[in-house]
Amino acid sequence: MTLMTAIIPTYSRYDLLTTCIDGLLNQTLGNIEIIIVDNASKVNIQRIVERRYGARVTTLRLHRNFFFCGAVNHGATLAKSDYIAVLNDDCMVSPGWAETVLETFARYPSAGSVASLVLNASDKELINSAGDHLDISGRPTNLYWNQRASQVSLSITQVFSAAGSCAAYRRDA
């Protein structure tokens, strides 16, 4: 039984994609379905992914670029699990990430999504997002953006939405 599906849209960035896929394959939680959605890349992402990962990763090649949301929606039609994670192709997840996400869903059965703590790629101490909130003008903005993780009191809390770079959703929500 597949516990979680990870959908990763990409456009010609195989160099980033391998780190993301490797992180998902090294999760403490087994049986994660990985779907790469190729937004009509100029390089053959599907052939390269199949050569390196074989049947462990599914690649869907789109005939044109549907951008992030369109690619995610196409990938979701293939998903076999009740939980769908969406990750940017440059996302690196820690080994316990998927297990923590599913534990959070179990702890909060009414939650439709789970936001992840997203750290800056070049400075892993800086926070890119801890979910989104609405600012004073009503725009969603990243919580704790550009703040040092060691200087912020982080805990599980409700947020307006999950940042699209690394989020998980209940399929039925």
Side-chain angles (χ1 to χ4, degrees):
M1 177 183 169
T2 302
L3 299 173
M4 176 188 281
T5 300
I7 299 173
I8 309 163
T10 193
Y11 179 77
S12 298
R13 291 308 307 260
Y14 181 74
D15 58 320
L16 299 174
L17 195 55
T18 56
T19 302
C20 185
I21 294 170
D22 290 345
L24 289 166
L25 290 173
N26 289 318
Q27 290 297 296
T28 55
L29 173 75
N31 208 10
I32 298 175
E33 176 184 36
I34 302 171
I35 300 173
I36 307 302
V37 183
D38 178 5
N39 260 321
S41 296
K42 295 177 182 178
V43 297
N44 192 333
I45 296 288
Q46 184 171 13
R47 185 176 67 224
I48 298 168
V49 168
E50 285 176 357
R51 188 178 302 142
R52 180 167 175 156
Y53 298 104
R56 296 181 295 170
V57 177
T58 300
T59 305
L60 171 63
R61 180 169 170 77
L62 302 177
H63 67 281
R64 68 179 176 88
N65 191 338
F66 284 86
F67 302 96
F68 186 83
C69 293
V72 167
N73 288 335
H74 277 88
T77 65
L78 302 177
K80 297 179 183 118
S81 68
D82 291 333
Y83 300 95
I84 298 175
V86 177
L87 295 93
N88 281 358
D89 56 7
D90 64 345
C91 186
M92 297 184 303
V93 291
S94 61
W97 170 80
E99 190 171 2
T100 301
V101 166
L102 292 182
E103 287 171 358
T104 304
F105 276 124
R107 185 173 172 189
Y108 299 96
S110 64
S113 64
V114 170
S116 298
L117 176 64
V118 179
L119 300 175
N120 186 300
S122 59
D123 182 348
K124 304 231 183 320
E125 178 61 21
L126 287 180
I127 297 173
N128 183 281
S129 177
D132 295 336
H133 72 287
L134 294 179
D135 70 13
I136 196 161
S137 66
R139 294 176 308 162
T141 57
N142 293 324
L143 283 169
Y144 303 124
W145 181 79
N146 220 23
Q147 293 184 38
R148 297 221 161 268
S150 61
Q151 297 174 346
V152 175
S153 176
L154 296 171
S155 62
I156 295 176
T157 186
Q158 287 187 333
V159 295
F160 175 73
S161 64
S165 60
C166 188
Y169 304 92
R170 283 185 204 274
R171 177 190 288 281
D172 61 4

